[in-house]
C-alpha cells in the first residue's frame, strides 16, 4: 500500500463542493424556516417545503454543472431534482397536466427530451434542448416576470434603457396562455 502525502487537487475539489453544499443547505433551511414563520404571508405544506428545497438544489446542480464545463453527472442530478421538486411543489397531477397539455406537447418534448439526452451522456445538446423547451413551456410567465422586475428600482431602470427596452417590451407583450 502506498500512502498519499500532500494535498491533491481532487481533495481540494471535494472539500470545496462539500463546503458549498453545506452553505446552500443552511441557506435553504433558513429560507424554509423563514417562510414557515411568516405563515400569514404564505403557507406551505411540508411537501411544498421539500419541493422548494429539491427545486433549489436542482437549480444549484444545473448551474454548477454548467460552470464545470457541462459535467454530465451534475446536470443529470440537477434535472432530476428540478423535475422532482416541481412535482412536490405543485403536486403530481398538476405537474402532469401542466406538461402534457395539447398545446404544450412540442415544448414538453423538447424539455423532457433534453433531460433524457443529458441522462444518456450528451450534456451540451441536452442543455440546449432543455433551454429551448423551458422557454416554450414558461413563456406565458415572462410578462408577469417582466412586470415584476420593472417595479424593482435599479433593475427597472436598466430594463427601460433604449436598446434593452425594445426586447423587454416584446417579451412583456406575450399573451400566451400558461
Amino acid at each position: 500500500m502506498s500512502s498519499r502525502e500532500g494535498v491533491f487537487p481532487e481533495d481540494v475539489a471535494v472539500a470545496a463542493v462539500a463546503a458549498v453544499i453545506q452553505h446552500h443547505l443552511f441557506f435553504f433551511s433558513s429560507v424554509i424556516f423563514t417562510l414557515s414563520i411568516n405563515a400569514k404571508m404564505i403557507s406551505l405544506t411540508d411537501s411544498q417545503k421539500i419541493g422548494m428545497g429539491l427545486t433549489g438544489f436542482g437549480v444549484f446542480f444545473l448551474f454548477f454543472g454548467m460552470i464545470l464545463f457541462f459535467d454530465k453527472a451534475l446536470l443529470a442530478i440537477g434535472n432530476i431534482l428540478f423535475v422532482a421538486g416541481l412535482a412536490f411543489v405543485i403536486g403530481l397531477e398538476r405537474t402532469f397536466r401542466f406538461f402534457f397539455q395539447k398545446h404544450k406537447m412540442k415544448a414538453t418534448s423538447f424539455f423532457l427530451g433534453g433531460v433524457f439526452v443529458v441522462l444518456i451522456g450528451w450534456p451540451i445538446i441536452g442543455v440546449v434542448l432543455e433551454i429551448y423547451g423551458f422557454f416554450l413551456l414558461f413563456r406565458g410567465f415572462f410578462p408577469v416576470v417582466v412586470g415584476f422586475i420593472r417595479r424593482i428600482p435599479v433593475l427597472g431602470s436598466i430594463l427601460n434603457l433604449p436598446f434593452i427596452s425594445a426586447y423587454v417590451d416584446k417579451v412583456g407583450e406575450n399573451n400566451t396562455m400558461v
Side-chain angles (χ1 to χ4, degrees):
M1 294 188 134
S2 66
S3 66
R4 292 175 36 172
E5 292 186 23
V7 177
F8 290 91
E10 60 269 11
D11 296 336
V12 174
V14 168
V17 169
V20 167
I21 290 173
Q22 183 181 12
H23 169 70
H24 281 78
L25 215 105
F26 175 74
F27 174 73
F28 283 120
S29 64
S30 65
V31 167
I32 290 172
F33 179 72
T34 304
L35 288 174
S36 64
I37 287 177
N38 297 329
K40 292 179 183 176
M41 282 185 18
I42 184 171
S43 70
L44 297 173
T45 64
D46 288 339
S47 65
Q48 288 174 328
K49 292 176 188 176
I50 292 169
M52 287 180 63
L54 289 174
T55 305
F57 277 121
V59 169
F60 167 73
F61 277 109
L62 286 170
F63 180 71
F64 201 57
M66 284 191 246
I67 285 178
L68 292 177
F69 303 112
F70 292 94
D71 183 54
K72 293 184 267 190
L74 291 174
L75 290 173
I77 291 169
N79 283 326
I80 292 169
L81 289 175
F82 179 77
V83 173
L86 187 65
F88 269 90
V89 170
I90 65 175
L92 281 175
E93 181 183 343
R94 290 181 68 191
T95 302
F96 188 79
R97 279 190 290 160
F98 175 77
F99 278 109
F100 295 105
Q101 294 175 8
K102 222 176 207 182
H103 64 281
K104 290 186 179 180
M105 288 307 289
K106 177 182 172 184
T108 300
S109 62
F110 272 104
F111 182 75
L112 295 179
V115 170
F116 179 73
V117 169
V118 167
L119 289 175
I120 63 172
W122 294 336
I124 296 174
I125 296 169
V127 168
V128 168
L129 292 173
E130 282 180 43
I131 290 172
Y132 180 67
F134 181 84
F135 282 119
L136 288 179
L137 275 171
F138 295 101
R139 66 180 169 198
F141 294 113
F142 292 151
V144 175
V145 172
V146 167
F148 176 76
I149 292 175
R150 281 195 168 163
R151 289 188 209 119
I152 299 174
V154 175
L155 295 176
S157 59
I158 291 172
L159 290 182
N160 288 329
L161 292 173
F163 52 91
I164 296 176
S165 179
Y167 296 112
V168 172
D169 289 339
K170 283 185 182 180
V171 171
E173 292 174 0
N174 189 0
N175 292 327
T176 309
M177 288 182 55
V178 175

